[in-house]
Amino acid sequence: MTEVTLSNVVKYYGKHRAVHGINLAINDGEFVVLVGPSGCGKSTTLRMIAGLEDISDGEVTIAGRVVNDLPPRERNISMVFQNYALYPHMTVRENLGFSLVIAKADEAAIAKAVDEAAEILGLNELMDRKPAELSGGQRQRVAMGRAIVRHPDVFLFDEPLSNLDAKLRTQMRVEIKKLHQRVGNTIIYVTHDQVEAMTLADRIVLMQDGHIVQVGTPLELFNKPNNTFVATFIGSPPMNLVDGKVVGAETIELYGGLSVPVPAAARGLISDGQHVKFGFRADNLMPVGHSVQEEGEKADLELKVTLTEPLGTETVLFTEIAGNEVQAKMLNPRPVRPGEVLKFQLMLDKCHVFDAASAEAIRG
Amino acid sequence: MDRNLTHRNRKRALKALHFIALFLTMAIICIPGLWIVLNSFRPTVEIMAKPPVWTPSFTLDHYRAMFGGTGEGGVPVFSYFRNSLIVSVVSTLIAILIGMSGGYAFARYRFKGKAGYFVGLMLFRAVPGVALSLPLFIVFAKVGIIDTHFGLILVYVAMNVPFTIWLTDGFFRQIPKELHEAAEIDGCTRWQAFWRVEFPVARSGVASAAIFAFLTSWNEFALASQLTRSVGSKTMPVGLLDFTAEFTINWGGMCALAVLMIVPALVLTFIVQKHLIAGLTFGGVKG
């Protein structure tokens, strides 16, 4: 059983505090993704778990053991680096077997483990090549193979796909997920790409400025963002936010004159005159006749399209509400000219209200 | 059409100029060496002839004399060779060990006054060695290590360490730190990570540093001529002076000894150059 826990973990670089007392419990076999913009402390956190950075304060445990002061080699972890960090002077076979050679395993055991890993990752053809003779995707696979050879308690991935081109990234994403289903180890994965986070994670840990902003399953973060940062970070295109003010108890007046009813989830939790941000995703604002037929409260809007992004099965329409640029989605798309005025339906049940001052979600 | 022609001609002319410039440069570098080799095989009369004799004759007299008895213009070639070898090899080994450790520290660790130390080391390189010869002579004489291998080795180590640090620092800097991190996660201690991963990757850099250190020690004359006196410690460059007498200089003999001096350096450079040219086998990380 390999749980990883972080309690009040703090990292100082000199006087600069990079990580502010993080608490996190990761279950055995869980795939956890640390995601956030660059400089949010996600890589630092991972490196503290790996033992590559000192832990300034707090406690990290792996498999029930406090590892704060253990060197990386005694933590029984594997790590895949962004730049792969393959040993350039060794062949693929030697790269894969290196950890076992260091551990003084006998040759037959090494050969067996290496062949097994090569089999899983389809590296059989490449075993006698040097890293310089491999393509980016192959190097990535070797790095993963090197990680699985030692049967670690925990896999750590530090932005492993950032150096690959878009197509390969999608492929490798699938391979990583397959790998996890096959070996079932605990995985902690760092990325700045919310798509990777959504597609891979059992649980996402969203970080900002050295704090954890929200922890939850991908759908929890998508459907119930704690604040505007989560709302705009998770999901593509990002959630639309429109400034507005509560009038009475039932209506939000968006600046610019448009009014919408208060979504059910926020009813009773807001007060007259409160400044809010009204949020909704592009999927919940669709032109009439090009939308999903769903039950629920709806509001009708007439909006002028300023720009279109056709994606095939859908077209993203850019429009404006109360001076804020807003994106909408059109299913079964037909060509739309910029400047065309369309009738839209806004799914009120799926809308969010955030306090303008604190950016926190207002939700029952 | 015309424009194409002029451009093509200009390109040809540039190419030709390029070759001429290269030829001249190489000639300036190589002809003195070639002259030494040729002279070592010529009778003294021919060496001194004016106008020069263009069709050389061939004789091994100078080599025969050099290895011959003391009275017939012989010099203790083997002793000098042994001294040179001992001093150069030992001082190179020590300089590489110290310099590599220093270079690694500068490349990998942060410590107080790092920039200051580094500049200090480079400044030390700026002091001309000859300027130190008198103080060194006095100190060495007082301590009693004048005219010993040890004294000369000490001087050469001091001369070579700063340069080695500077060179290896550059090579270690090019190796991404993730390599030793990966090695440490794979179960290495810091020490193992260095010797099993970082050192092999940087070996071409270390090899070039070693070559430079070796050649510096092997060819050094100014300090060695001050600090060595006897057959037991004189190195080959100093040994060349044996061919100058009060009124005459035995050019042929000097050239013959010079050839013996050049050959090992050339051979060594050829052996190691494969490492230098093989260069950094990067590719383990995204490059």
Side-chain angles (χ1 to χ4, degrees), chain A residues 47 52 72-73 77 79 81 83 85-89 98-99 101-102 131-132 139 146 150 163, chain B residues 176-179 181-189 196-197 200-201 281-286:
Chain A
R47 291 170 60 83
L52 299 172
R73 65 178 185 280
I77 46 164
M79 186 153 167
F81 292 86
N83 59 9
L86 301 180
Y87 310 126
H89 57 302
F98 183 68
S99 61
V101 172
I102 293 292
R139 286 180 202 177
R146 197 173 61 181
R150 9 180 0 222
N163 280 347
Chain B
K177 68 177 185 351
E178 281 86 354
L179 275 189
E181 290 178 348
E184 281 184 70
I185 284 176
D186 269 349
C188 291
T189 60
R196 306 200 61 145
V197 174
V201 174
T281 40
F282 275 111
V285 295
K286 169 98 177 176

mmCIF file of all heavy atoms in Angstrom, chain A residues 47 52 72-73 77 79 81 83 85-89 98-99 101-102 131-132 139 146 150 163, chain B residues 176-179 181-189 196-197 200-201 281-286:
data_model
loop_
_atom_site.group_PDB
_atom_site.id
_atom_site.type_symbol
_atom_site.label_atom_id
_atom_site.label_comp_id
_atom_site.label_asym_id
_atom_site.label_seq_id
_atom_site.Cartn_x
_atom_site.Cartn_y
_atom_site.Cartn_z
ATOM 1 N N ARG A 47 9.318 17.805 -6.544
ATOM 2 C CA ARG A 47 10.734 17.582 -6.267
ATOM 3 C C ARG A 47 10.992 17.374 -4.775
ATOM 4 O O ARG A 47 11.945 16.692 -4.403
ATOM 5 C CB ARG A 47 11.573 18.739 -6.812
ATOM 6 C CG ARG A 47 11.588 18.762 -8.347
ATOM 7 C CD ARG A 47 12.202 20.037 -8.895
ATOM 8 N NE ARG A 47 13.573 20.196 -8.446
ATOM 9 C CZ ARG A 47 14.617 19.618 -9.025
ATOM 10 N NH1 ARG A 47 14.435 18.870 -10.084
ATOM 11 N NH2 ARG A 47 15.826 19.798 -8.564
ATOM 12 N N LEU A 52 14.595 15.725 -4.218
ATOM 13 C CA LEU A 52 15.563 16.534 -4.959
ATOM 14 C C LEU A 52 15.623 17.955 -4.419
ATOM 15 O O LEU A 52 16.527 18.711 -4.742
ATOM 16 C CB LEU A 52 15.196 16.563 -6.447
ATOM 17 C CG LEU A 52 15.204 15.191 -7.127
ATOM 18 C CD1 LEU A 52 14.646 15.277 -8.535
ATOM 19 C CD2 LEU A 52 16.607 14.608 -7.149
ATOM 20 N N PRO A 72 16.983 10.619 -2.242
ATOM 21 C CA PRO A 72 16.059 10.060 -3.238
ATOM 22 C C PRO A 72 16.165 8.546 -3.351
ATOM 23 O O PRO A 72 15.143 7.867 -3.499
ATOM 24 C CB PRO A 72 16.495 10.719 -4.546
ATOM 25 C CG PRO A 72 17.186 11.961 -4.148
ATOM 26 C CD PRO A 72 17.778 11.718 -2.797
ATOM 27 N N ARG A 73 17.380 8.013 -3.260
ATOM 28 C CA ARG A 73 17.554 6.585 -3.520
ATOM 29 C C ARG A 73 16.881 5.716 -2.474
ATOM 30 O O ARG A 73 16.649 4.538 -2.692
ATOM 31 C CB ARG A 73 19.040 6.240 -3.628
ATOM 32 C CG ARG A 73 19.825 6.439 -2.357
ATOM 33 C CD ARG A 73 21.278 6.020 -2.528
ATOM 34 N NE ARG A 73 21.988 6.114 -1.268
ATOM 35 C CZ ARG A 73 22.455 7.239 -0.761
ATOM 36 N NH1 ARG A 73 22.270 8.372 -1.408
ATOM 37 N NH2 ARG A 73 23.075 7.247 0.401
ATOM 38 N N ILE A 77 11.155 5.521 -5.269
ATOM 39 C CA ILE A 77 10.333 6.234 -6.228
ATOM 40 C C ILE A 77 11.006 6.186 -7.590
ATOM 41 O O ILE A 77 12.186 5.843 -7.691
ATOM 42 C CB ILE A 77 10.210 7.727 -5.840
ATOM 43 C CG1 ILE A 77 11.601 8.239 -5.478
ATOM 44 C CG2 ILE A 77 9.244 7.899 -4.690
ATOM 45 C CD1 ILE A 77 11.726 9.696 -5.433
ATOM 46 N N MET A 79 11.181 8.606 -11.317
ATOM 47 C CA MET A 79 10.772 9.910 -11.829
ATOM 48 C C MET A 79 11.038 9.982 -13.325
ATOM 49 O O MET A 79 12.061 9.514 -13.805
ATOM 50 C CB MET A 79 11.536 11.005 -11.092
ATOM 51 C CG MET A 79 11.099 12.391 -11.441
ATOM 52 S SD MET A 79 11.413 13.506 -10.054
ATOM 53 C CE MET A 79 11.201 15.092 -10.828
ATOM 54 N N PHE A 81 11.508 12.787 -16.198
ATOM 55 C CA PHE A 81 11.777 14.216 -16.275
ATOM 56 C C PHE A 81 11.268 14.805 -17.584
ATOM 57 O O PHE A 81 11.107 14.100 -18.573
ATOM 58 C CB PHE A 81 13.280 14.477 -16.173
ATOM 59 C CG PHE A 81 13.855 14.170 -14.834
ATOM 60 C CD1 PHE A 81 14.273 12.887 -14.523
ATOM 61 C CD2 PHE A 81 13.981 15.158 -13.882
ATOM 62 C CE1 PHE A 81 14.808 12.598 -13.285
ATOM 63 C CE2 PHE A 81 14.517 14.881 -12.642
ATOM 64 C CZ PHE A 81 14.931 13.601 -12.340
ATOM 65 N N ASN A 83 12.907 16.683 -19.630
ATOM 66 C CA ASN A 83 13.876 16.503 -20.711
ATOM 67 C C ASN A 83 14.403 15.067 -20.760
ATOM 68 O O ASN A 83 15.453 14.809 -21.291
ATOM 69 C CB ASN A 83 15.015 17.512 -20.585
ATOM 70 C CG ASN A 83 15.744 17.394 -19.272
ATOM 71 O OD1 ASN A 83 15.508 16.444 -18.522
ATOM 72 N ND2 ASN A 83 16.632 18.314 -18.987
ATOM 73 N N ALA A 85 16.186 13.082 -19.372
ATOM 74 C CA ALA A 85 17.378 12.773 -18.576
ATOM 75 C C ALA A 85 17.848 11.339 -18.759
ATOM 76 O O ALA A 85 18.172 10.645 -17.810
ATOM 77 C CB ALA A 85 17.125 13.058 -17.093
ATOM 78 N N LEU A 86 17.886 10.886 -20.018
ATOM 79 C CA LEU A 86 18.473 9.564 -20.281
ATOM 80 C C LEU A 86 19.985 9.698 -20.202
ATOM 81 O O LEU A 86 20.531 10.758 -20.497
ATOM 82 C CB LEU A 86 18.070 9.077 -21.671
ATOM 83 C CG LEU A 86 16.568 8.950 -21.899
ATOM 84 C CD1 LEU A 86 16.301 8.465 -23.310
ATOM 85 C CD2 LEU A 86 15.951 7.996 -20.903
ATOM 86 N N TYR A 87 20.654 8.611 -19.824
ATOM 87 C CA TYR A 87 22.114 8.654 -19.749
ATOM 88 C C TYR A 87 22.671 8.541 -21.171
ATOM 89 O O TYR A 87 22.549 7.497 -21.801
ATOM 90 C CB TYR A 87 22.621 7.527 -18.857
ATOM 91 C CG TYR A 87 21.909 7.476 -17.533
ATOM 92 C CD1 TYR A 87 21.304 6.307 -17.088
ATOM 93 C CD2 TYR A 87 21.799 8.614 -16.732
ATOM 94 C CE1 TYR A 87 20.623 6.271 -15.887
ATOM 95 C CE2 TYR A 87 21.125 8.584 -15.538
ATOM 96 C CZ TYR A 87 20.540 7.411 -15.111
ATOM 97 O OH TYR A 87 19.859 7.383 -13.929
ATOM 98 N N PRO A 88 23.273 9.613 -21.686
ATOM 99 C CA PRO A 88 23.624 9.641 -23.114
ATOM 100 C C PRO A 88 24.698 8.647 -23.503
ATOM 101 O O PRO A 88 24.798 8.282 -24.663
ATOM 102 C CB PRO A 88 24.107 11.079 -23.342
ATOM 103 C CG PRO A 88 24.317 11.672 -22.011
ATOM 104 C CD PRO A 88 23.597 10.864 -20.999
ATOM 105 N N HIS A 89 25.505 8.196 -22.522
ATOM 106 C CA HIS A 89 26.611 7.308 -22.876
ATOM 107 C C HIS A 89 26.212 5.847 -22.782
ATOM 108 O O HIS A 89 27.053 4.973 -22.968
ATOM 109 C CB HIS A 89 27.805 7.589 -21.978
ATOM 110 C CG HIS A 89 27.490 7.461 -20.514
ATOM 111 N ND1 HIS A 89 26.508 8.205 -19.899
ATOM 112 C CD2 HIS A 89 27.999 6.673 -19.557
ATOM 113 C CE1 HIS A 89 26.455 7.877 -18.618
ATOM 114 N NE2 HIS A 89 27.347 6.948 -18.397
ATOM 115 N N PHE A 98 19.973 0.347 -15.482
ATOM 116 C CA PHE A 98 20.936 1.051 -14.625
ATOM 117 C C PHE A 98 20.597 0.957 -13.140
ATOM 118 O O PHE A 98 21.450 0.637 -12.313
ATOM 119 C CB PHE A 98 21.034 2.512 -15.051
ATOM 120 C CG PHE A 98 22.048 3.316 -14.289
ATOM 121 C CD1 PHE A 98 23.399 3.056 -14.452
ATOM 122 C CD2 PHE A 98 21.658 4.309 -13.405
ATOM 123 C CE1 PHE A 98 24.347 3.788 -13.759
ATOM 124 C CE2 PHE A 98 22.596 5.041 -12.701
ATOM 125 C CZ PHE A 98 23.948 4.780 -12.883
ATOM 126 N N SER A 99 19.328 1.194 -12.801
ATOM 127 C CA SER A 99 18.970 1.200 -11.379
ATOM 128 C C SER A 99 19.202 -0.172 -10.753
ATOM 129 O O SER A 99 19.591 -0.274 -9.595
ATOM 130 C CB SER A 99 17.515 1.624 -11.210
ATOM 131 O OG SER A 99 16.678 0.707 -11.881
ATOM 132 N N VAL A 101 21.453 -2.390 -11.819
ATOM 133 C CA VAL A 101 22.903 -2.588 -11.715
ATOM 134 C C VAL A 101 23.422 -1.922 -10.444
ATOM 135 O O VAL A 101 24.212 -2.498 -9.695
ATOM 136 C CB VAL A 101 23.628 -2.012 -12.957
ATOM 137 C CG1 VAL A 101 25.134 -2.038 -12.762
ATOM 138 C CG2 VAL A 101 23.238 -2.800 -14.200
ATOM 139 N N ILE A 102 22.946 -0.718 -10.198
ATOM 140 C CA ILE A 102 23.348 -0.001 -8.991
ATOM 141 C C ILE A 102 22.917 -0.774 -7.748
ATOM 142 O O ILE A 102 23.633 -0.841 -6.756
ATOM 143 C CB ILE A 102 22.725 1.419 -8.971
ATOM 144 C CG1 ILE A 102 23.333 2.265 -10.082
ATOM 145 C CG2 ILE A 102 22.919 2.097 -7.628
ATOM 146 C CD1 ILE A 102 24.773 2.618 -9.895
ATOM 147 N N PRO A 131 20.636 7.043 -26.726
ATOM 148 C CA PRO A 131 19.545 8.027 -26.710
ATOM 149 C C PRO A 131 19.589 9.018 -27.867
ATOM 150 O O PRO A 131 18.546 9.422 -28.373
ATOM 151 C CB PRO A 131 19.755 8.744 -25.375
ATOM 152 C CG PRO A 131 20.393 7.733 -24.509
ATOM 153 C CD PRO A 131 21.264 6.904 -25.416
ATOM 154 N N ALA A 132 20.810 9.389 -28.302
ATOM 155 C CA ALA A 132 20.907 10.378 -29.370
ATOM 156 C C ALA A 132 20.292 9.873 -30.670
ATOM 157 O O ALA A 132 19.945 10.658 -31.542
ATOM 158 C CB ALA A 132 22.365 10.756 -29.600
ATOM 159 N N ARG A 139 12.420 8.428 -26.837
ATOM 160 C CA ARG A 139 13.154 8.783 -25.619
ATOM 161 C C ARG A 139 12.194 8.816 -24.432
ATOM 162 O O ARG A 139 12.515 8.353 -23.335
ATOM 163 C CB ARG A 139 13.777 10.164 -25.769
ATOM 164 C CG ARG A 139 14.961 10.163 -26.687
ATOM 165 C CD ARG A 139 15.539 11.546 -26.788
ATOM 166 N NE ARG A 139 16.313 11.659 -28.011
ATOM 167 C CZ ARG A 139 16.899 12.765 -28.419
ATOM 168 N NH1 ARG A 139 16.795 13.867 -27.709
ATOM 169 N NH2 ARG A 139 17.589 12.788 -29.527
ATOM 170 N N ARG A 146 12.529 3.131 -17.888
ATOM 171 C CA ARG A 146 13.503 3.193 -16.809
ATOM 172 C C ARG A 146 12.794 3.339 -15.468
ATOM 173 O O ARG A 146 13.239 2.815 -14.459
ATOM 174 C CB ARG A 146 14.430 4.387 -17.051
ATOM 175 C CG ARG A 146 15.694 4.333 -16.260
ATOM 176 C CD ARG A 146 16.636 5.427 -16.659
ATOM 177 N NE ARG A 146 16.078 6.746 -16.426
ATOM 178 C CZ ARG A 146 16.715 7.886 -16.723
ATOM 179 N NH1 ARG A 146 17.906 7.838 -17.284
ATOM 180 N NH2 ARG A 146 16.168 9.039 -16.486
ATOM 181 N N ARG A 150 12.178 -0.553 -11.926
ATOM 182 C CA ARG A 150 12.512 -0.790 -10.517
ATOM 183 C C ARG A 150 11.313 -1.091 -9.649
ATOM 184 O O ARG A 150 11.433 -1.212 -8.439
ATOM 185 C CB ARG A 150 13.274 0.378 -9.908
ATOM 186 C CG ARG A 150 13.361 1.586 -10.744
ATOM 187 C CD ARG A 150 14.127 2.698 -10.097
ATOM 188 N NE ARG A 150 14.635 2.366 -8.789
ATOM 189 C CZ ARG A 150 14.599 3.192 -7.774
ATOM 190 N NH1 ARG A 150 14.071 4.381 -7.915
ATOM 191 N NH2 ARG A 150 15.103 2.830 -6.617
ATOM 192 N N ASN A 163 7.781 18.436 -24.069
ATOM 193 C CA ASN A 163 8.737 18.586 -25.162
ATOM 194 C C ASN A 163 8.308 17.881 -26.442
ATOM 195 O O ASN A 163 9.054 17.833 -27.395
ATOM 196 C CB ASN A 163 10.109 18.050 -24.738
ATOM 197 C CG ASN A 163 10.861 19.046 -23.890
ATOM 198 O OD1 ASN A 163 10.467 20.203 -23.815
ATOM 199 N ND2 ASN A 163 11.920 18.611 -23.266
ATOM 200 N N PRO B 176 22.941 18.663 -18.189
ATOM 201 C CA PRO B 176 21.782 19.085 -17.397
ATOM 202 C C PRO B 176 21.789 18.414 -16.023
ATOM 203 O O PRO B 176 22.186 17.260 -15.907
ATOM 204 C CB PRO B 176 20.594 18.607 -18.221
ATOM 205 C CG PRO B 176 21.118 17.886 -19.382
ATOM 206 C CD PRO B 176 22.595 17.921 -19.388
ATOM 207 N N LYS B 177 21.357 19.149 -15.040
ATOM 208 C CA LYS B 177 21.417 18.608 -13.680
ATOM 209 C C LYS B 177 20.450 17.450 -13.500
ATOM 210 O O LYS B 177 20.614 16.629 -12.611
ATOM 211 C CB LYS B 177 21.152 19.701 -12.648
ATOM 212 C CG LYS B 177 19.732 20.241 -12.637
ATOM 213 C CD LYS B 177 19.624 21.259 -11.518
ATOM 214 C CE LYS B 177 18.254 21.828 -11.275
ATOM 215 N NZ LYS B 177 17.156 21.593 -12.158
ATOM 216 N N GLU B 178 19.484 17.335 -14.411
ATOM 217 C CA GLU B 178 18.540 16.214 -14.305
ATOM 218 C C GLU B 178 19.246 14.868 -14.426
ATOM 219 O O GLU B 178 18.738 13.871 -13.938
ATOM 220 C CB GLU B 178 17.460 16.300 -15.392
ATOM 221 C CG GLU B 178 16.355 17.292 -15.113
ATOM 222 C CD GLU B 178 16.707 18.695 -15.567
ATOM 223 O OE1 GLU B 178 17.868 18.904 -15.996
ATOM 224 O OE2 GLU B 178 15.846 19.585 -15.485
ATOM 225 N N LEU B 179 20.426 14.854 -15.086
ATOM 226 C CA LEU B 179 21.112 13.571 -15.247
ATOM 227 C C LEU B 179 21.535 13.011 -13.901
ATOM 228 O O LEU B 179 21.333 11.839 -13.615
ATOM 229 C CB LEU B 179 22.333 13.729 -16.158
ATOM 230 C CG LEU B 179 22.073 13.627 -17.650
ATOM 231 C CD1 LEU B 179 23.376 13.584 -18.403
ATOM 232 C CD2 LEU B 179 21.233 12.422 -17.971
ATOM 233 N N GLU B 181 20.278 13.916 -11.072
ATOM 234 C CA GLU B 181 19.056 13.691 -10.288
ATOM 235 C C GLU B 181 18.438 12.346 -10.641
ATOM 236 O O GLU B 181 18.030 11.577 -9.756
ATOM 237 C CB GLU B 181 18.059 14.820 -10.547
ATOM 238 C CG GLU B 181 18.513 16.140 -9.952
ATOM 239 C CD GLU B 181 17.564 17.285 -10.244
ATOM 240 O OE1 GLU B 181 16.661 17.127 -11.098
ATOM 241 O OE2 GLU B 181 17.720 18.347 -9.637
ATOM 242 N N ALA B 182 18.388 12.057 -11.949
ATOM 243 C CA ALA B 182 17.841 10.771 -12.384
ATOM 244 C C ALA B 182 18.673 9.634 -11.798
ATOM 245 O O ALA B 182 18.134 8.632 -11.321
ATOM 246 C CB ALA B 182 17.822 10.694 -13.903
ATOM 247 N N ALA B 183 19.991 9.805 -11.815
ATOM 248 C CA ALA B 183 20.866 8.760 -11.282
ATOM 249 C C ALA B 183 20.629 8.573 -9.790
ATOM 250 O O ALA B 183 20.604 7.446 -9.286
ATOM 251 C CB ALA B 183 22.328 9.115 -11.554
ATOM 252 N N GLU B 184 20.435 9.686 -9.083
ATOM 253 C CA GLU B 184 20.207 9.565 -7.643
ATOM 254 C C GLU B 184 18.883 8.868 -7.352
ATOM 255 O O GLU B 184 18.776 8.077 -6.418
ATOM 256 C CB GLU B 184 20.219 10.955 -6.995
ATOM 257 C CG GLU B 184 21.619 11.477 -6.794
ATOM 258 C CD GLU B 184 21.614 12.803 -6.056
ATOM 259 O OE1 GLU B 184 21.305 12.798 -4.855
ATOM 260 O OE2 GLU B 184 21.887 13.833 -6.692
ATOM 261 N N ILE B 185 17.879 9.176 -8.172
ATOM 262 C CA ILE B 185 16.596 8.492 -7.988
ATOM 263 C C ILE B 185 16.742 7.017 -8.330
ATOM 264 O O ILE B 185 16.135 6.153 -7.707
ATOM 265 C CB ILE B 185 15.509 9.179 -8.840
ATOM 266 C CG1 ILE B 185 15.110 10.484 -8.152
ATOM 267 C CG2 ILE B 185 14.298 8.283 -9.018
ATOM 268 C CD1 ILE B 185 14.127 11.307 -8.904
ATOM 269 N N ASP B 186 17.590 6.717 -9.322
ATOM 270 C CA ASP B 186 17.832 5.328 -9.696
ATOM 271 C C ASP B 186 18.664 4.573 -8.662
ATOM 272 O O ASP B 186 19.004 3.424 -8.880
ATOM 273 C CB ASP B 186 18.544 5.271 -11.055
ATOM 274 C CG ASP B 186 17.545 5.186 -12.203
ATOM 275 O OD1 ASP B 186 16.356 4.973 -11.926
ATOM 276 O OD2 ASP B 186 17.962 5.326 -13.360
ATOM 277 N N GLY B 187 19.037 5.241 -7.598
ATOM 278 C CA GLY B 187 19.699 4.519 -6.519
ATOM 279 C C GLY B 187 21.152 4.886 -6.276
ATOM 280 O O GLY B 187 21.811 4.271 -5.445
ATOM 281 N N CYS B 188 21.661 5.860 -7.002
ATOM 282 C CA CYS B 188 23.060 6.236 -6.817
ATOM 283 C C CYS B 188 23.221 7.180 -5.627
ATOM 284 O O CYS B 188 22.323 7.955 -5.316
ATOM 285 C CB CYS B 188 23.585 6.954 -8.049
ATOM 286 S SG CYS B 188 23.755 5.930 -9.489
ATOM 287 N N THR B 189 24.398 7.105 -5.014
ATOM 288 C CA THR B 189 24.774 8.186 -4.121
ATOM 289 C C THR B 189 25.274 9.322 -5.005
ATOM 290 O O THR B 189 25.461 9.149 -6.199
ATOM 291 C CB THR B 189 25.909 7.753 -3.179
ATOM 292 O OG1 THR B 189 27.023 7.384 -4.008
ATOM 293 C CG2 THR B 189 25.504 6.565 -2.340
ATOM 294 N N ARG B 196 29.506 7.530 -12.423
ATOM 295 C CA ARG B 196 28.877 6.629 -13.382
ATOM 296 C C ARG B 196 28.115 7.364 -14.463
ATOM 297 O O ARG B 196 27.834 6.795 -15.517
ATOM 298 C CB ARG B 196 27.947 5.662 -12.659
ATOM 299 C CG ARG B 196 28.689 4.932 -11.550
ATOM 300 C CD ARG B 196 27.992 3.688 -11.162
ATOM 301 N NE ARG B 196 27.892 2.751 -12.250
ATOM 302 C CZ ARG B 196 27.960 1.442 -12.083
ATOM 303 N NH1 ARG B 196 28.145 0.950 -10.890
ATOM 304 N NH2 ARG B 196 27.813 0.639 -13.108
ATOM 305 N N VAL B 197 27.739 8.604 -14.198
ATOM 306 C CA VAL B 197 26.950 9.319 -15.202
ATOM 307 C C VAL B 197 27.626 10.607 -15.664
ATOM 308 O O VAL B 197 27.921 10.780 -16.839
ATOM 309 C CB VAL B 197 25.536 9.634 -14.669
ATOM 310 C CG1 VAL B 197 24.771 10.496 -15.665
ATOM 311 C CG2 VAL B 197 24.781 8.344 -14.406
ATOM 312 N N PRO B 200 31.487 10.170 -17.186
ATOM 313 C CA PRO B 200 31.564 9.621 -18.545
ATOM 314 C C PRO B 200 31.016 10.572 -19.597
ATOM 315 O O PRO B 200 31.538 10.632 -20.713
ATOM 316 C CB PRO B 200 30.695 8.363 -18.466
ATOM 317 C CG PRO B 200 30.609 8.014 -17.043
ATOM 318 C CD PRO B 200 30.749 9.286 -16.271
ATOM 319 N N VAL B 201 29.979 11.314 -19.251
ATOM 320 C CA VAL B 201 29.399 12.224 -20.235
ATOM 321 C C VAL B 201 30.356 13.389 -20.505
ATOM 322 O O VAL B 201 30.456 13.875 -21.629
ATOM 323 C CB VAL B 201 28.024 12.736 -19.759
ATOM 324 C CG1 VAL B 201 27.494 13.799 -20.701
ATOM 325 C CG2 VAL B 201 27.041 11.581 -19.677
ATOM 326 N N THR B 281 28.431 13.432 -26.475
ATOM 327 C CA THR B 281 27.404 12.541 -27.005
ATOM 328 C C THR B 281 26.075 12.884 -26.362
ATOM 329 O O THR B 281 25.494 12.089 -25.663
ATOM 330 C CB THR B 281 27.754 11.081 -26.723
ATOM 331 O OG1 THR B 281 28.295 11.027 -25.412
ATOM 332 C CG2 THR B 281 28.719 10.540 -27.718
ATOM 333 N N PHE B 282 25.628 14.085 -26.590
ATOM 334 C CA PHE B 282 24.356 14.468 -25.992
ATOM 335 C C PHE B 282 23.206 13.837 -26.744
ATOM 336 O O PHE B 282 23.367 13.277 -27.809
ATOM 337 C CB PHE B 282 24.214 15.986 -25.936
ATOM 338 C CG PHE B 282 24.865 16.545 -24.715
ATOM 339 C CD1 PHE B 282 26.011 17.302 -24.803
ATOM 340 C CD2 PHE B 282 24.332 16.249 -23.470
ATOM 341 C CE1 PHE B 282 26.614 17.792 -23.671
ATOM 342 C CE2 PHE B 282 24.933 16.735 -22.339
ATOM 343 C CZ PHE B 282 26.072 17.507 -22.438
ATOM 344 N N GLY B 283 22.041 13.956 -26.207
ATOM 345 C CA GLY B 283 20.878 13.320 -26.804
ATOM 346 C C GLY B 283 20.092 12.611 -25.732
ATOM 347 O O GLY B 283 18.969 12.197 -25.922
ATOM 348 N N GLY B 284 20.687 12.460 -24.566
ATOM 349 C CA GLY B 284 19.978 11.861 -23.444
ATOM 350 C C GLY B 284 18.894 12.795 -22.976
ATOM 351 O O GLY B 284 17.909 12.387 -22.391
ATOM 352 N N VAL B 285 19.103 14.057 -23.262
ATOM 353 C CA VAL B 285 18.071 15.017 -22.922
ATOM 354 C C VAL B 285 17.694 15.741 -24.191
ATOM 355 O O VAL B 285 18.431 15.732 -25.157
ATOM 356 C CB VAL B 285 18.572 16.028 -21.885
ATOM 357 C CG1 VAL B 285 18.856 15.325 -20.597
ATOM 358 C CG2 VAL B 285 19.790 16.730 -22.381
ATOM 359 N N LYS B 286 16.556 16.328 -24.197
ATOM 360 C CA LYS B 286 16.084 17.073 -25.362
ATOM 361 C C LYS B 286 17.093 18.152 -25.682
ATOM 362 O O LYS B 286 17.434 18.978 -24.840
ATOM 363 C CB LYS B 286 14.726 17.675 -25.028
ATOM 364 C CG LYS B 286 14.234 18.665 -26.030
ATOM 365 C CD LYS B 286 13.281 18.023 -26.977
ATOM 366 C CE LYS B 286 12.745 19.069 -27.935
ATOM 367 N NZ LYS B 286 11.887 18.484 -28.927
#
